[in-house]
Amino acid sequence: MTQSNEYTMRPIGVIHSPFTDQAQTPIQPSRSQAIGQVEVYPEFAEGLQDVDGFSHLILLYVFHRSSGFTLTVKPFLDDQTRGLFATRYPCRPNPIGLSIVRLTEREGCRLTIQGVDVLDGTPVLDIKPYVPEFDAMDGVLIGWYGLRSKA
Amino acid sequence: MTQSNEYTMRPIGVIHSPFTDQAQTPIQPSRSQAIGQVEVYPEFAEGLQDVDGFSHLILLYVFHRSSGFTLTVKPFLDDQTRGLFATRYPCRPNPIGLSIVRLTEREGCRLTIQGVDVLDGTPVLDIKPYVPEFDAMDGVLIGWYGLRSKA
């Protein structure tokens, strides 16, 4: 059974980052100290109320420079081919990226964030508060990532 | 500056859950022991290779029963109005939901998951492995959620 439904997403903002070259971009926020900014478009500004109270935000964004996908890939940190959904590889059927970043300041529609791992100009689809009760898991097994060939 | 770009997303599968009524659906996986299944469409099956090694998966899906949004909302667990992006409320400009669930079994295209908090028939956009190095944060402040009126 294949679903024929389609969903159209429109950016609510854009990420400003120091990275303009994919090869120089950190692969995850936890491996980046880079500072960037989320510029939320003015029509969504009101939705940022209360965001300041959270130290960490979940950003959902478009891997806008990715194109197409294959269902098996060689991840950045491994030499073996893995199933795409067992990786965070950017080329995906729905190229949605997820990063958890530290929020250090908010000035109106501009959020200053630490731990930027995306390209400059990345379109933002959603911002959610990071809540350990929902998002921090215990007793986690990490499959191939625990056996990967690169640190 | 408003971005005019649009991105079309097509489901890669569907979530089977015991919940058919929004009012009966747990608000987060951490508050649910319910068992469900992710049925990945056969054309994406190959991408599930190596998923079995991970105990937890990040599901990105469409809040398909939500319609429209307001930029301030009264969250399920509070009596005060909050900025939408400081909540996990389902009605959002881009109604993408995120749940971290426990993977208990995989049979071909079918993933059995524990901690289901979504409605039956929810369209899945992406599956990513949960990796504490990327996804579990320390020293987190949770803003209004720490002061909420309901447990």
Side-chain angles (χ1 to χ4, degrees):
Chain A
M1 183 185 72
T2 297
Q3 263 256 18
S4 60
N5 288 353
E6 290 187 351
Y7 299 92
T8 302
M9 306 288 171
R10 293 179 190 84
I12 61 161
V14 64
I15 300 174
H16 302 289
S17 112
F19 307 113
T20 54
D21 177 6
Q22 241 148 346
Q24 303 301 319
T25 306
I27 62 155
Q28 284 289 335
S30 61
R31 292 166 175 249
S32 169
Q33 291 299 311
I35 305 290
Q37 294 197 309
V38 180
E39 178 193 347
V40 173
Y41 299 134
E43 61 266 40
F44 300 109
E46 197 188 351
L48 292 175
Q49 185 194 310
D50 302 302
V51 159
D52 322 51
F54 292 85
S55 59
H56 292 75
L57 300 177
I58 301 172
L59 304 179
L60 297 181
Y61 51 84
V62 181
F63 287 119
H64 65 307
R65 300 265 198 95
S66 80
S67 61
F69 66 91
T70 53
L71 288 170
T72 57
V73 298
K74 203 171 278 185
F76 296 120
L77 297 177
D78 203 15
D79 285 330
Q80 262 186 267
T81 298
R82 306 293 181 182
L84 178 63
F85 300 121
T87 79
R88 307 284 277 254
Y89 206 75
C91 301
R92 315 179 74 83
N94 294 301
I96 304 175
L98 179 166
S99 294
I100 302 166
V101 295
R102 177 178 283 277
L103 173 66
T104 59
E105 195 181 358
R106 178 188 153 207
E107 287 181 278
C109 293
R110 248 168 210 270
L111 307 175
T112 301
I113 55 174
Q114 188 171 34
V116 176
D117 66 333
V118 300
L119 286 166
D120 189 48
T122 292
V124 180
L125 296 179
D126 200 10
I127 298 170
K128 299 181 194 288
Y130 178 86
V131 178
E133 180 192 334
F134 309 150
D135 304 313
M137 300 291 137
D138 287 331
V140 173
L141 302 176
I142 54 172
W144 70 263
Y145 190 74
L147 308 165
R148 70 191 184 277
S149 56
K150 301 175 197 168
Chain B
M1 183 186 69
T2 298
Q3 263 257 18
S4 59
N5 289 352
E6 290 186 351
Y7 299 92
T8 302
M9 306 289 172
R10 293 178 191 87
I12 60 161
V14 64
I15 300 174
H16 301 289
S17 112
F19 306 113
T20 54
D21 177 6
Q22 241 147 348
Q24 302 302 318
T25 306
I27 63 154
Q28 283 290 335
S30 60
R31 292 165 176 250
S32 168
Q33 291 298 311
I35 304 289
Q37 293 197 310
V38 180
E39 178 195 346
V40 173
Y41 299 134
E43 62 265 41
F44 300 109
E46 198 188 350
L48 291 175
Q49 185 193 309
D50 302 301
V51 159
D52 323 52
F54 292 85
S55 59
H56 292 75
L57 299 177
I58 302 172
L59 303 180
L60 297 181
Y61 51 85
V62 180
F63 288 120
H64 65 305
R65 300 264 199 95
S66 81
S67 61
F69 65 92
T70 54
L71 287 169
T72 57
V73 298
K74 203 170 280 187
F76 295 120
L77 297 176
D78 204 15
D79 285 331
Q80 262 187 268
T81 297
R82 306 292 181 182
L84 178 62
F85 300 121
T87 78
R88 307 284 279 252
Y89 206 74
C91 301
R92 316 180 74 84
N94 295 302
I96 304 175
L98 179 166
S99 294
I100 302 166
V101 296
R102 178 179 281 276
L103 173 66
T104 60
E105 195 183 358
R106 177 188 154 207
E107 288 181 278
C109 292
R110 247 169 211 269
L111 307 175
T112 302
I113 56 173
Q114 187 170 35
V116 176
D117 66 334
V118 300
L119 286 166
D120 189 48
T122 291
V124 180
L125 296 179
D126 200 10
I127 299 170
K128 299 180 195 287
Y130 179 85
V131 178
E133 180 192 334
F134 309 149
D135 304 313
M137 300 291 137
D138 288 331
V140 173
L141 303 176
I142 54 172
W144 71 263
Y145 191 74
L147 308 165
R148 69 191 185 277
S149 57
K150 301 174 196 167

